[in-house]
Amino acid sequence: MTGPNESAAGDIAIVGMAVDLPGAPTLDAFWEMLSETRTAIRRLTPEELAQAGVPEEVSQRPDYVPYGAPLEGHDLFDAGFFGLTPKDAAIMDPQHRRFIRTAWAALENAGRLPDGFDGAIGVYAGCGPNDYYMRNLMGNADLQRDVGGFLLRHTGNDKDFLATRLSHMLDLTGPAVSVQTACSTSLVAVHMAAQALLTGECDMALAGGATIEQPQGQGYLWREGEILSPDGMCRAFDHRAQGTVFGSGAAVVALRRLEDALTAGDHVWAVIRGTAINNDGAQKASYLAPSVEGQAAAVAAALRMAGVGAESLGLVECHGTGTALGDPIEVAALTRAFRETTQARGFCRIGSVKTGIGHTDTAAGAASLIKAALALHHRAIPGTPGFEAPNPAMALASSPFEVAATTQPWPRGATPR
C-alpha cells in the first residue's frame, strides 16, 4: 500500500474509511490514540464485572484476568435512521447493527452515498459468532412464537446474511458476499472486493468486519497453552509477550479503482497496489499453529503483484498477537519474503494495532489496514503501546525490521511511502 499517486492498472484506491473500536469511535479518535501510543485495554472494575454478570467466586479466582477492551455504546443504534422499527433493531445482532452503522460512515467519509453514485456498489464482509441470538433470542419463547425462528435468524442474526442485509437496506446492487475466514476475514474481504473491482463486477465496494463479544465488560479465565495473556496486556514483539486480549469493534473501507477515483476527484487515503491470499494446508506443527512457509508465500505474492521491491517498504502492520511463538514466526516469514528482493537490515518498522485495541477478530484486519492508511496520510509511523525490548526469538538484528517503539515522522524518501 502506498500514498496517492498516478494510476496504474490494478491499483485500488481507499476512498472512505470508518471505525468503531475500543477507545476510538471515529477516525480522528483512532489516530489520536495511535499517535499518542495509548491503549484501550484496561483493568475492569469490580462494579463493571458484577454488572456484566461475573459471579464474585469467579472474579476472585487466581486464574481470572479482569482485563478487556470494552466497546462503548455497543448496544446503541439509531433504528429510525436506517428505516427499522425499534423491535427490528432489538432483534438484530449488535454486530450487524454496528457493521451497518460503520459501513454508512465509510460511505459518508468517501462522499459517495448510494443514491448519488452512478454505478454498482458491492459488499464483502464478515462478523463474529452470533452469541446474541444464542443468549437472547433462542430461549425467548414468546419472541419465537411471535416472529418465528426462521425470520429471527435470517433477518438480522445469521452470519450468512450480513452483507446481503446491508445491500438491501441501502439498495446496493453489486455483489453481496459474506466472508468467514476467522481473524483474516476483513482482509480477505478487501482482497475479494479488489478483485471484483478489477473484473468490473462493481464500481465501488465496501469491505470490513464487525465482532462484538457477548456479554461485554467481562474478563476471562486464563489457561496454559491458549493465546490469551495471563496479565491482561497484549505486548506484541516484546520480550514479555505472553498472549493477546480480545476486543470488540467494527472497521470498514470503501474502495474504488484508482483511475476512477482520480477522475471523479475522490479523496484517496491510500492506494492498494497488490493483495494475495493462500493457505498453508498441513505444513505446520498443528491446526492452530502458524506457518512460516505459508505466510512468507502470501507476502511474497502480494509484493510481486504490487510490482515493488521489499526495500521500498517503510512499515508493515503485522498480525502481532503478542504470543511468544506467533510473533517470531511472523517475523521469520516476513524476513523470508523480503529476502527475495533485498538483503538490507533494519530499514522497515513493524507494529500491531492489537496492543491498543485488543484482538477484534473479524474486524482486526480492516482495523490494521486503516491504521496503515492513516499512517500514510499523517506521514507518521505510530508507536507500539507497552513495548520495552524485542522478543529475542525474533532475531531482529539480522532481519529487515525494527519495532516501531514510539511514534516517529515518516519522511518521504526515494520511493513513495
Side-chain angles (χ1 to χ4, degrees), residues 386-399:
F387 181 78
E388 186 176 272
N391 181 342
M394 295 191 302
L396 283 184
S398 60
S399 80

Side-chain angles (χ1 to χ4, degrees), residues 25 28 46 83 93 122 136 168 282 312 329 334 354 380 384 404:
D28 287 344
D93 188 326
N136 297 282
H168 176 260
S312 68
I329 286 179
L334 286 165
K354 293 178 179 65
T384 303

Side-chain angles (χ1 to χ4, degrees), residues 173-196:
T173 59
V177 182
S178 292
V179 182
Q180 297 299 158
T181 61
C183 50
S184 66
T185 290
S186 52
L187 280 185
V188 172
V190 169
H191 170 81
M192 296 178 70
Q195 295 298 309

Side-chain angles (χ1 to χ4, degrees), residues 273 302-304 306-314 337-338 340-342 347 415-416:
R273 299 291 304 275
L303 287 171
R304 286 193 296 271
V308 299
E311 198 165 348
S312 68
L313 273 64
F338 273 46
E340 290 190 10
T341 58
T342 181
F347 63 89
T415 59

Side-chain angles (χ1 to χ4, degrees), residues 117-134:
F117 184 75
D118 186 16
I121 301 176
V123 182
Y124 295 81
C127 64
N130 55 344
D131 291 337
Y132 182 77
Y133 177 76
M134 301 294 289

Side-chain angles (χ1 to χ4, degrees), residues 42-45 49 59 61 64-68 218-220 231-232:
R42 62 177 177 84
R43 186 182 184 94
L44 302 166
T45 67
L49 294 175
S59 64
R61 286 177 51 164
Y64 186 80
V65 184
Y67 278 78
Q218 293 194 353
Y220 53 89
D231 65 0

Side-chain angles (χ1 to χ4, degrees), residues 318-365:
C318 297
H319 183 52
T321 53
T323 60
L325 175 66
D327 290 355
I329 286 179
E330 185 170 13
V331 170
L334 286 165
T335 299
R336 180 177 297 189
F338 273 46
R339 290 292 179 243
E340 290 190 10
T341 58
T342 181
Q343 296 300 313
R345 299 181 181 183
F347 63 89
C348 183
R349 302 296 181 268
I350 55 175
S352 170
V353 75
K354 293 178 179 65
T355 57
I357 62 171
H359 191 335
T360 52
D361 191 39
T362 63

